[in-house]
Amino acid sequence: MERRTTLDIVICTYNNAALLDRALAAISAQRIPSGVEWQVLVVNNNCTDETPQVVEQHERRNALPLRMVCELRQGLTAARVCGVRNTAGEWIAFVDDDCLLAGDWVEQAVRFAAEHPRCGAFGGQVSPEWETPPPPFVLNHRYAYACKYHGETAHRRPWLAGAGMVVRRDALDACGWTEKQFLADRTAGRLVSGGDMEIGLRIAAISEVWYNPACKLRHVIPQRRMSLDYLRRIVRGLGASRHNASALTWRGSYAGWVLYSAAFSVGFGALGALQLVRALFNTRSGDVPLAFAPVRGWWSAMWEMSRMDAEERRQLIGCAATSGRAN
């Protein structure tokens, strides 16, 4: 008897109706192989725009096994938890509302999952689709826009980005994420993205995590996200996320982490200074706030962690370490 694969595509959305419409249209065009049971769940995270109407239109077209739930707690992590708790498939794909899946994305994802029974999570290629031609300072920071290309050969990775991340439900439960989440993710205009890194790292601590280049998607970048101010904020948020993700894999004590973190931030700041000098030398222009945004994000995360409840902090430090941890 043919083994059936169950897959839930979870799309968390907040006031992004136009791009959500495009994302659902791309999913409607998927080529679904036999033996696959799938559905699409939209998690409405307090949207005040036309999101309900967009979902209703796609439901009426009957081209998708689609439904919508609402999550009142604001933030991407809360919305993802809601999505997990309102689905039951063996595999869960977190697809952002501004991501357009290639026509064979589901087919490739299901095939990869079947061929890698020890895999707990995997992700694929993420290429940008710029709404307008991006300025040079944006192209120099493509990583800030979730661009992801690690070659054309599948291989294991230490962690995954959130866009198009596919996780095995059993692995998500076994790593403890469904019961306790430590890192905040994007909340309205707060551009911190540690939540998806936490998922990838915690699963990687107990299971295999892979890059599958056959799963391709396009990440739509609207013009409003290409301003210098936006880039400064998102790069600062990534600096904070890097601090928090590093703390998840730390095997020592909190005191040891503070010493390491302070020393690392010095090197982080020096790297920013070097990048600024290179920019000034090569283009005769550079942006000081942008150059030092990563280390400022790191410092802000250090400060926030110092103010955490001691027990909460003890649970966070090292929760994604691959072997052992200190109290």
Side-chain angles (χ1 to χ4, degrees):
M1 181 181 294
E2 183 181 33
R3 182 182 183 277
R4 301 192 68 80
T5 301
T6 54
L7 171 71
D8 291 300
I9 297 178
V10 174
I11 305 177
C12 304
T13 187
Y14 172 71
N15 285 350
N16 203 15
L19 282 179
L20 175 64
D21 185 36
R22 292 186 62 189
L24 291 175
I27 296 174
S28 299
Q30 291 295 301
R31 301 190 295 272
I32 307 300
S34 62
V36 176
E37 294 180 5
W38 72 304
Q39 70 166 338
V40 181
L41 178 70
V42 173
V43 181
N44 180 338
N45 199 197
N46 298 310
C47 296
T48 58
D49 62 358
E50 294 77 28
T51 290
Q53 291 89 334
V54 166
V55 174
E56 183 181 352
Q57 289 171 6
H58 282 272
E59 286 179 320
R60 286 203 304 265
R61 293 169 189 162
N62 204 30
L64 283 174
L66 173 66
R67 61 192 178 95
M68 184 178 74
V69 296
C70 295
E71 173 53 61
L72 299 181
R73 295 175 301 157
Q74 196 68 53
L76 182 55
T77 294
R80 281 177 171 161
V81 172
C82 175
V84 170
R85 291 177 177 172
N86 281 275
T87 55
E90 177 187 6
W91 290 90
I92 306 163
F94 294 117
V95 176
D96 293 344
D97 57 13
D98 53 5
C99 289
L100 309 179
L101 302 183
D104 64 345
W105 192 93
V106 169
E107 180 181 5
Q108 295 293 347
V110 169
R111 179 180 302 163
F112 188 86
E115 293 172 351
H116 295 79
R118 299 179 62 184
C119 177
F122 62 91
Q125 293 188 38
V126 180
S127 58
E129 181 175 303
W130 310 105
E131 187 178 67
T132 59
F137 61 80
V138 166
L139 291 176
N140 291 336
H141 294 80
R142 291 166 64 94
Y143 71 90
Y145 294 91
C147 301
K148 183 171 59 176
Y149 178 74
H150 301 299
E152 294 296 330
T153 303
H155 58 273
R156 292 182 64 175
R157 299 291 297 176
W159 60 277
L160 299 171
M165 177 167 57
V166 186
V167 301
R168 191 189 296 272
R169 185 179 299 274
D170 287 349
L172 199 59
D173 289 338
C175 76
W177 183 87
T178 51
E179 295 300 321
K180 178 68 174 179
Q181 309 85 40
F182 293 103
L183 303 187
D185 219 316
R186 294 190 300 276
T187 304
R190 187 170 183 263
L191 302 178
V192 178
S193 56
D196 51 7
M197 296 176 73
E198 177 182 358
I199 293 172
L201 286 169
R202 291 178 70 173
I203 290 180
I206 64 166
S207 183
E208 294 181 2
V209 170
W210 283 76
Y211 165 71
N212 174 26
C215 285
K216 299 178 174 67
L217 65 83
R218 304 193 315 277
H219 183 209
V220 180
I221 314 296
Q223 184 178 16
R224 58 184 170 81
R225 293 183 181 173
M226 290 187 248
S227 69
L228 186 56
D229 176 69
Y230 180 90
L231 183 59
R232 289 170 181 163
R233 291 190 295 121
I234 197 169
V235 169
R236 178 172 177 172
L238 289 172
S241 300
R242 183 170 179 179
H243 169 279
N244 294 335
S246 297
L248 294 178
T249 59
W250 180 254
R251 293 189 178 90
S253 65
Y254 174 58
W257 168 252
V258 170
L259 292 175
Y260 169 83
S261 181
F264 187 91
S265 72
V266 173
F268 217 3
L271 180 61
L274 179 61
Q275 291 175 342
L276 181 62
V277 170
R278 285 178 175 172
L280 291 170
F281 180 79
N282 293 330
T283 65
R284 305 296 180 185
S285 64
D287 186 77
V288 173
L290 179 58
F292 292 103
V295 71
R296 290 178 62 209
W298 185 283
W299 287 337
S300 68
M302 283 183 65
W303 173 247
E304 288 186 10
M305 185 171 288
S306 72
R307 302 178 64 189
M308 287 179 64
D309 174 79
E311 176 59 22
E312 181 90 354
R313 188 171 58 221
R314 188 196 68 80
Q315 294 178 33
L316 183 154
I317 297 289
C319 73
T322 54
S323 62
R325 57 170 300 184
N327 289 328

